[in-house]
Amino acid sequence: MTQVPTIKNNSLALDNDYFQQAMKFQQIIMIYESAIKQIETKLDILNKECKVGHKRNPIETVKSRIKSPDSIAKKLAKKKLPATFDAMTEHLTDIAGVRVICPYISDIYNIRDILLKQPDITLVAEHDYIENPKESGYRSLHIVVETPVYLSKTVHKVKVEIQLRTIAMDFWASLEHELRYKNTQNVPDSVRRELYRVAETIAMTDKEMEEIALELQALD
């Protein structure tokens, strides 16, 4: 006769609790992924519409990501919040992120305005680092929006952070991020000044390229 294994130190209950927590986390991430997919679909439709109507795409590329469990835990700790699902969904606005790369600065604001006119998109927060760059020289338009995700029995209002940049802004930000996070030493002031100078040069180039594009459009 086969013996039934005994339960020691309540390990079976702990394993079951861990399984339930893992399943809940997986479901939450699925909801955030669904919200990203909705935003990406909206952006794709807007891009195609502009291509048909204005003969060019105002969006170059769209990238997306979900914060890793480790990043979520660190962000909660930084904000001195408990490591719970409720704290995560209520207080973190960048678990789901979408980055929109545009050819010109005017495209950034046009896409933002069109997107926010949609009835199922609610603006939660906005930070304009194009008009007001960060001290490092970083430029980008950040908006946090809320969009509903409909499941079979429930509806979830999900926050998604959208970053809108030009190609040049994204180039600078990507290299600056790599230099800053791969360098184990503090970045010297001389390097910071050089990065800021390059950011200013790129910003001026962005404006000049848009002016050239407008001149060419006037010739059509």
Side-chain angles (χ1 to χ4, degrees):
M1 183 175 178
T2 305
Q3 288 186 332
V4 178
T6 57
I7 301 172
K8 295 181 180 180
N9 299 324
N10 205 29
S11 60
L12 184 62
L14 289 173
D15 288 345
N16 184 62
D17 182 63
Y18 177 82
F19 175 77
Q20 294 295 329
Q21 294 293 312
M23 288 294 292
K24 186 172 181 179
F25 182 77
Q26 188 175 23
Q27 184 183 39
I28 290 172
I29 294 302
M30 179 272 293
I31 292 170
Y32 277 104
E33 288 174 342
S34 300
I36 282 179
K37 188 173 293 185
Q38 290 183 177
I39 297 296
E40 288 178 327
T41 299
K42 289 176 181 294
L43 292 168
D44 183 52
I45 292 170
L46 290 176
N47 206 29
K48 288 177 179 175
E49 180 192 8
C50 290
K51 175 66 173 177
V52 171
H54 304 287
K55 298 183 179 178
R56 77 173 190 86
N57 296 110
I59 298 174
E60 186 72 19
T61 55
V62 175
K63 305 173 185 177
S64 63
R65 63 102 183 98
I66 295 285
K67 269 190 178 297
S68 67
D70 184 55
S71 294
I72 291 171
K74 287 179 179 177
K75 193 73 176 282
L76 289 170
K78 186 177 180 180
K79 289 178 172 287
K80 297 181 179 179
L81 293 168
T84 64
F85 294 135
D86 286 342
M88 165 182 150
T89 55
E90 289 177 18
H91 299 288
L92 300 188
T93 60
D94 60 346
I95 294 175
V98 176
R99 184 175 299 159
V100 185
I101 315 300
C102 301
Y104 304 111
I105 295 173
S106 60
D107 293 327
I108 290 173
Y109 292 103
N110 287 337
I111 291 298
R112 172 221 180 262
D113 291 344
I114 295 170
L115 194 61
L116 293 183
K117 286 178 182 176
Q118 300 195 10
D120 58 344
I121 295 288
T122 302
L123 179 64
V124 176
E126 180 171 7
H127 301 285
D128 192 339
Y129 298 117
I130 299 174
E131 288 293 323
N132 303 289
K134 289 187 177 182
E135 187 178 347
S136 63
Y138 173 86
R139 285 169 168 82
S140 183
L141 177 65
H142 291 197
I143 59 174
V144 176
V145 301
E146 194 172 69
T147 185
V149 172
Y150 293 90
L151 301 184
S152 58
K153 297 179 180 179
T154 55
V155 180
H156 301 264
K157 291 184 177 180
V158 184
K159 296 181 182 70
V160 180
E161 182 188 63
I162 305 174
Q163 298 178 359
L164 298 106
R165 306 173 179 172
T166 63
I167 300 167
M169 290 174 194
D170 188 57
F171 166 75
W172 183 93
S174 297
L175 291 182
E176 191 268 349
H177 182 274
E178 183 177 351
L179 289 170
R180 187 155 43 91
Y181 282 93
K182 286 192 175 181
N183 195 328
T184 55
Q185 305 290 328
N186 289 328
V187 179
D189 288 341
S190 60
V191 175
R192 291 180 187 275
R193 287 194 296 269
E194 190 66 12
L195 282 169
Y196 182 82
R197 184 192 65 77
V198 173
E200 290 293 301
T201 302
I202 286 176
M204 187 177 297
T205 303
D206 258 337
K207 292 176 182 177
E208 290 174 349
M209 290 300 293
E210 184 151 15
E211 288 172 1
I212 292 170
L214 290 172
E215 288 180 17
L216 291 175
Q217 288 174 20
L219 298 175
D220 293 341

